[in-house]
Amino acid sequence: GENVEQHPSTLSVQEGDSAVIKCTYSDSASNYFPWYKQELGKGPQLIIDIRSNVGEKKDQRIAVTLNKTAKHFSLHITETQPEDSAVYFCAAGHRGNNRLAFGKGNQVVVIP
Amino acid sequence: GAGVSQSPRYKVAKRGQDVALRCDPISGHVSLFWYQQALGQGPEFLTYFQNEAQLDKSGLPSDRFFAERPEGSVSTLKIQRTQQEDSAVYLCASSLSGDIYEQYFGPGTRLTVT
């Protein structure tokens, strides 16, 4: 099955700087790559997603890039704010296997 | 609008007891998924419904786990004869489409088996 890995496990950034989290996946059939933000005691919140027919997608301060050849995709957060502090999960999947496979998560800490 | 809701938010069960966890998906959403999240880990797939049909239950860890969605809306995950290793957060997600895209999660039910 699909195996998704995230790096680094913890990331600390100064407020206003950019944060980048990278994920790799193993199944070349995967064509859907969402990112979720999870705050303590809450469920994962979908923040952005990308499908394999595009290489980049942006939504205000966040963007996702996809490299299908290398089987990796990244989340970019610009102008970080304290409220961006959370655990971020990447996931991968395709319609044929009925599920998303998640990475183990990255703890992002934005230092005011 | 209303998101996915789950109840109870917290459940403590003694080993051997049966539990039932409820999920109310976003109205009109066709797909419903259950995931299990251990502490410090990402969600792990348990099962998938398209309307009332359970199309994939390959992630259920044992035959003590059972899920249903009889009318294609509310879903219940039942765990029989709970064990300590069942302690985790159980997450429900729903999607408007009949597949994996754009899944919206509920807050989860934290199950502790003592």
Side-chain angles (χ1 to χ4, degrees):
Chain A
E2 175 65 274
N3 182 43
V4 177
E5 294 191 358
Q6 289 186 240
H7 306 279
S9 59
T10 304
L11 178 64
S12 295
V13 295
Q14 290 289 333
E15 182 178 357
D17 287 351
S18 294
V20 182
I21 307 169
K22 180 177 171 179
C23 278
T24 58
Y25 62 98
S26 62
D27 188 350
S28 56
S30 289
N31 62 1
Y32 178 62
F33 309 93
W35 283 92
Y36 286 86
K37 174 184 180 183
Q38 189 172 30
E39 296 172 297
L40 204 59
K42 298 185 178 180
Q45 174 194 358
L46 179 64
I47 57 171
I48 196 166
D49 58 7
I50 192 168
R51 302 197 191 192
S52 59
N53 56 344
V54 296
E56 181 176 359
K57 184 176 176 181
K58 292 182 73 171
D59 183 3
Q60 299 182 349
R61 295 187 298 108
I62 58 174
V64 55
T65 57
L66 171 66
N67 183 326
K68 284 216 77 179
T69 303
K71 289 195 226 162
H72 67 72
F73 56 111
S74 299
L75 177 71
H76 305 252
I77 307 173
T78 59
E79 299 171 27
T80 52
Q81 301 168 4
E83 53 264 37
D84 294 329
S85 295
V87 177
Y88 290 81
F89 292 96
C90 62
H94 62 87
R95 180 179 291 178
N97 68 356
N98 299 324
R99 71 194 65 190
L100 292 175
F102 284 81
K104 291 186 176 182
N106 291 98
Q107 175 77 56
V108 173
V109 178
V110 179
I111 304 164
Chain B
V4 178
S5 60
Q6 292 186 245
S7 61
R9 291 294 317 278
Y10 304 92
K11 177 70 179 178
V12 178
K14 287 189 170 31
R15 189 158 53 98
Q17 284 184 333
D18 298 349
V19 298
L21 313 180
R22 178 187 168 108
C23 172
D24 285 78
I26 296 171
S27 178
H29 276 201
V30 171
S31 297
L32 186 145
F33 303 82
W34 284 97
Y35 292 85
Q36 180 189 61
Q37 186 174 27
L39 195 63
Q41 302 294 314
E44 296 270 351
F45 170 81
L46 293 176
T47 188
Y48 160 59
F49 290 86
Q50 190 178 95
N51 296 308
E52 69 278 5
Q54 188 175 22
L55 298 187
D56 192 333
K57 55 182 182 179
S58 61
L60 297 176
S62 79
D63 58 9
R64 297 185 295 104
F65 286 69
F66 171 76
E68 60 183 4
R69 194 187 184 197
E71 297 177 0
S73 55
V74 171
S75 177
T76 304
L77 176 67
K78 297 179 179 178
I79 309 173
Q80 297 177 322
R81 305 181 304 281
T82 52
Q83 303 294 315
Q84 281 197 312
E85 60 263 28
D86 300 336
S87 296
V89 174
Y90 290 86
L91 294 164
C92 173
S94 70
S95 169
L96 180 62
S97 65
D99 51 42
I100 67 166
Y101 307 121
E102 294 187 37
Q103 295 182 32
Y104 295 92
F105 281 81
T109 295
R110 179 176 295 279
L111 173 65
T112 304
V113 182
T114 61

